[in-house]
Amino acid sequence: MIEVVNPTTEEVIGTVRAGTAGDVDAAVIRAVAAFPAWSTTALDTRLAVVRAVADGLEARADELAATMTAEMGTPITFASRVQVPNPVGIARGVADVLAGGYFDGEQVGNSLVLREPIGVVAAITPWNFPLQQMVAKVVPALAAGNVVVLKPSELAPMTADLLASVLLDAGVPEGVFSVVHGTGPVVGEALAVHPMVDMVSFTGSTRAGRRVAALAAETVKRVALELGGKSANVVLDDADLTRAVKIGVANAYMNNGQACSAWTRLLVPASRHDEALEIAVAAASKYEPGDPALPATRIGPAVSAAQRDRVVGYVRRGVEEGAKLALGGVERPLERGFHVAPTVFGGVQADMAIAQEEIFGPVLSVMPYADEDDAVRIANSTIYGLGGAVFSADQDRALAVAKRLRTGQVDINGAAFNTSAPFGGYRQSGNGREFGAHGLDEFTELKSIQR
């Protein structure tokens, strides 16, 4: 059995059965048997199911939010405003694409180009945005006519069981969707190598993504990867510095700093570095660690003791490398729970580990740059390319810089997140896209019929 630990209380709040390779095989066999009927189900039927899923998630919003707060520590306010509404929006976006003629086909010369389901999809999802990442894979895959075997994170399995219940209530037939709980080395790897799995959609660390891709290559199955990030918030010299820094701190600390697209590097003109650092410290000081079940709490614990220790290790490394520790540090801010003190470093150089490696905790690096070209160079200097931001009083200038950033998403002046626009990364942040029509593309094959 796998114990589910509340990272705030450090108490066991549930258990799930640890799946085996045999469980994976049984689930895949059921999926293969269910594929012919589901893949040929009328589009209107699949559309109705997707809409029912969105309605079901919305109806159980409070339960879903409370469950995520309990099992992985996301603040309840963030869970209620983001962790549940985003998946609802993703599902509704998929429904809109289906209703808009996505599967009608395209005439190219004498060829009819069709989109068809891939087959059996293995979805392997993380703990930090558990519902969002499950919905972003499972819903478009099912909408496209695929069958799905889900392996959720063992750190957030209860949310997966709630989603399974919503799918069942929405009319997803037996075998079309199933959950196999377990660890990555056992269940995840069994899915990646299984000869009857046609595609693996994985979200997680870059290290684990490399492993999944290597295993899946043996059977040349399709692999979609959404991996790590080290996103830069580029504040140009004409920007409203106070606003840009405050928004940047909020983004860096969202979900307790456990977001792959978080802007963990704050790039500011060298002449304004000290001013920016002072603003960042003042803003970050308002994020007092606390019980995430309380509506006023802005930052909760790391998901586990191991994750807390990993983040603290990076804080120590930043000090050793010569960065200025302006706020926070390695001391535990609360006696109970896997909390990390919100931390701000100043004077961070591009070659430091805290500027190059994904920390996945509430650690912000303030980095000076010489000019616009230098800012772009620093922003593009990591192996990652998932998210980013540009702040400027000149929208055209901001757009020009955004186009130079080698990253999958860029927000200008704090623009809102869009669950219908493609989400994914460049380089070692991954190779797939999620949400909207582009998310559906990942789960379809193209067929050309010449006439």
Side-chain angles (χ1 to χ4, degrees):
M1 300 297 288
I2 295 174
E3 293 183 338
V4 183
V5 176
N6 182 315
T8 305
T9 65
E10 302 185 39
E11 297 173 350
V12 176
I13 58 173
T15 59
V16 294
R17 180 178 175 274
T20 65
D23 295 321
V24 168
D25 190 54
V28 172
I29 290 172
R30 289 196 301 271
V32 170
F35 177 69
W38 181 249
S39 62
T40 56
T41 298
L43 184 61
D44 285 349
T45 300
R46 298 205 302 270
L47 177 58
V49 167
V50 171
R51 286 176 170 158
V53 170
D55 291 343
L57 293 173
E58 200 164 52
R60 301 179 70 170
D62 291 345
E63 182 183 9
L64 287 161
T67 299
M68 286 185 279
T69 294
E71 67 181 351
M72 48 76 60
T74 190
I76 188 63
T77 301
F78 186 78
S80 299
R81 294 178 179 176
V82 178
Q83 294 267 24
V84 177
N86 275 5
V88 172
I90 291 166
R92 296 207 190 286
V94 170
D96 290 343
V97 175
L98 282 185
Y102 180 82
F103 286 103
D104 289 350
E106 176 188 7
Q107 196 68 40
V108 180
N110 68 317
S111 301
L112 176 63
V113 181
L114 300 174
R115 288 194 174 275
E116 297 183 346
I118 291 174
V120 178
V121 173
I124 303 175
T125 57
W127 49 262
N128 63 322
F129 282 82
L131 184 64
Q132 176 173 307
Q133 291 311 116
M134 286 187 285
V135 169
K137 299 179 189 302
V138 172
V139 171
L142 294 178
N146 299 287
V147 289
V148 180
V149 179
L150 169 68
K151 191 216 90 69
S153 169
E154 62 271 28
L155 296 175
M158 297 188 299
T159 302
D161 288 342
L162 288 176
L163 175 62
S165 176
V166 169
L167 291 170
L168 182 64
D169 291 345
V172 177
E174 174 70 24
V176 170
F177 171 79
S178 59
V179 178
V180 181
H181 291 294
T183 64
V186 177
V187 174
E189 294 201 2
L191 284 167
V193 301
H194 201 290
M196 288 188 285
V197 169
D198 301 292
M199 176 184 177
V200 179
S201 180
F202 172 86
T203 298
S205 71
T206 297
R207 176 193 56 78
R210 294 188 192 108
R211 176 65 176 166
V212 167
L215 293 171
E218 291 297 320
T219 48
V220 201
K221 53 174 60 75
R222 184 181 298 184
V223 178
L225 301 173
E226 197 270 282
L227 308 176
K230 195 68 183 176
S231 301
N233 177 12
V234 180
V235 182
L236 299 180
D237 55 16
D238 64 344
D240 180 335
L241 186 66
T242 299
R243 179 175 181 272
V245 172
K246 286 182 176 180
I247 293 174
V249 168
N251 182 283
Y253 288 175
M254 69 172 172
N255 201 39
N256 309 336
Q258 298 172 146
C260 53
S261 60
W263 309 337
T264 54
R265 296 180 294 152
L266 176 61
L267 277 57
V268 297
S271 62
R272 305 192 72 182
H273 170 273
D274 293 351
E275 181 185 358
L277 183 61
E278 183 179 347
I279 296 168
V281 168
S285 297
K286 297 178 181 179
Y287 286 77
E288 295 184 9
D291 183 350
L294 301 177
T297 298
R298 300 177 75 179
I299 192 164
V303 72
S304 66
Q307 183 61 24
R308 176 198 61 202
D309 294 346
R310 181 178 187 275
V311 175
V312 168
Y314 272 106
V315 175
R316 287 197 178 96
R317 193 166 176 185
V319 172
E320 292 168 356
E321 290 183 325
K324 177 183 177 181
L325 182 62
L327 181 73
V330 300
E331 298 301 321
R332 295 182 63 173
L334 297 172
E335 290 186 6
R336 189 174 67 165
F338 307 133
H339 297 275
V340 177
T343 297
V344 178
F345 280 106
V348 177
Q349 300 302 308
D351 60 350
M352 293 180 178
I354 58 172
Q356 288 292 318
E357 300 177 22
E358 186 176 46
I359 298 173
F360 231 59
V363 180
L364 176 66
S365 294
V366 182
M367 306 177 68
Y369 65 80
D371 55 29
E372 191 173 294
D373 288 341
D374 190 41
V376 171
R377 178 191 64 81
I378 294 170
N380 291 337
S381 67
T382 76
I383 64 172
Y384 300 108
L386 185 57
V390 180
F391 282 82
S392 173
D394 184 337
Q395 285 277 345
D396 291 338
R397 184 185 180 197
L399 179 60
V401 172
K403 289 179 178 180
R404 296 175 66 189
L405 301 183
R406 299 287 295 164
T407 185
Q409 300 82 38
V410 183
D411 299 338
I412 292 178
N413 292 331
F417 188 67
N418 184 353
T419 57
S420 293
F423 181 87
Y426 289 17
R427 295 174 291 172
Q428 293 190 41
S429 283
N431 59 13
R433 292 295 181 271
E434 296 177 328
F435 307 166
H438 299 87
L440 269 166
D441 290 347
E442 293 291 338
F443 298 102
T444 61
E445 295 279 18
L446 288 172
K447 174 181 287 183
S448 299
I449 301 176
Q450 284 63 246
R451 296 184 290 186

